[in-house]
Amino acid sequence: MIRRLAASSSVAVLALALAACGSDASDASDDGETTLHVAAAASLTDAFEEIATDFEATHEGVTVDLQFAGSSDLATQIEGGAQLDVFASADQANMDKVEDAVDDPQVFATNVLTIVTEPGNPQKITGLEDLADPDLAVVVCAEQVPCGAATKTLTEQEDVTLDPASEESKVTDVLTKVSTGEADAGLVYVTDATGAGDDVEAVRTEGADKVVNRYPIGALTDAASPDVAADFVDHLLGPQGQKVLQDKGFGAP
């Protein structure tokens, strides 16, 4: 059975949750049961829940504990010694921060940004430059997280200056603010827009295809269950894992 820690914008909450996992919870128990702790970028939530279910079905006695947050928050926790087995980042920069703690990370997917609005696009937003309108409430990711870094690159590339109403620590928070009507528009990954269905409307975003985020994954060098962690990485990189990712809208590695 998958155990999941809900994504949170609070680093402190995440730290407490990861600390609660502790080394005693991330290894094989006496009865042969193993809990595998997988920390993944928030944008991977839907895909990893399905992949974890598939993995558990082929690994008797293994429970996958999924923990989602912004990649920078997760990297900070790994630097602080959090007991995890696998780390999947939404960009290479945050994986590089923990390169000594992760064994041979490999890119497994790609993603690009898109504008999302409320259903029906009531503000008639047609492109990135419309988001510069000061009368619009626009929400983006903070620059230190992968979706925020991509937003900065994209807006600079397209010579557009934004004055966002807020900057979020996770792309899922941007999506929530738009889908609940707290914001007129936001920049999220294509996969988030696809997963939201009719809750938002995606707007064609000029130049987004030139700003590609590459997602790396690796088992931690001090994983309590190194063989199971390596199996999970192999499963993700294999045909079954790749099919799930592509079905969710991710691009090939």
Side-chain angles (χ1 to χ4, degrees):
M1 177 186 297
I2 299 170
R3 295 194 301 171
R4 174 184 168 193
L5 174 66
S8 167
S9 60
S10 167
V11 175
V13 170
L14 177 65
L16 288 171
L18 292 178
C21 293
S23 59
D24 60 334
S26 60
D27 56 5
S29 63
D30 292 341
D31 60 5
E33 300 292 319
T34 298
T35 299
L36 184 73
H37 295 286
V38 177
S43 53
L44 293 164
T45 301
D46 289 346
F48 268 43
E49 285 181 341
E50 185 170 340
I51 288 167
T53 298
D54 293 342
F55 184 77
E56 288 178 344
T58 57
H59 291 73
E60 187 176 355
V62 174
T63 296
V64 179
D65 175 29
L66 293 171
Q67 302 169 17
F68 298 109
S71 298
S72 58
D73 286 353
L74 294 171
T76 297
Q77 294 306 313
I78 291 171
E79 290 176 313
Q83 289 295 316
L84 296 165
D85 298 300
V86 176
F87 175 42
S89 173
D91 70 353
Q92 189 63 49
N94 281 293
M95 184 61 79
D96 289 344
K97 291 179 183 175
V98 294
E99 60 181 350
D100 292 339
V102 181
D103 182 28
D104 189 26
Q106 300 182 60
V107 174
F108 64 92
T110 55
N111 213 348
V112 297
L113 295 175
T114 187
I115 298 167
V116 288
T117 73
E118 294 179 77
N121 192 3
Q123 301 296 333
K124 307 303 180 189
I125 294 166
T126 61
L128 202 60
E129 27 200 58
D130 288 349
L131 301 189
D133 183 344
D135 291 332
L136 292 180
V138 176
V139 184
V140 299
C141 290
E143 189 176 327
Q144 65 267 28
V145 296
C147 58
T151 296
K152 181 174 185 292
T153 301
L154 176 60
T155 52
E156 289 179 350
Q157 171 189 282
E158 298 301 311
D159 196 23
V160 173
T161 300
L162 304 182
D163 183 18
S166 70
E167 296 183 345
E168 306 297 328
S169 63
K170 300 189 301 296
V171 67
T172 46
D173 290 343
V174 175
L175 184 69
T176 297
K177 288 205 167 184
V178 175
S179 64
T180 59
E182 292 184 61
D184 295 313
L187 278 162
V188 301
Y189 292 120
V190 166
T191 51
D192 297 295
T194 300
D198 294 336
D199 290 342
V200 295
E201 183 161 327
V203 176
R204 185 176 181 276
T205 308
E206 195 78 22
D209 59 339
K210 300 175 183 174
V211 182
V212 180
N213 270 34
R214 292 177 170 77
Y215 286 59
I217 188 170
L220 270 67
T221 54
D222 64 349
S225 304
D227 292 342
V228 181
D231 283 351
F232 185 87
V233 173
D234 289 344
H235 177 86
L236 184 68
L237 294 169
Q240 194 170 358
Q242 289 296 300
K243 182 179 184 309
V244 173
L245 289 162
Q246 290 170 21
D247 288 347
K248 301 294 184 184
F250 287 92

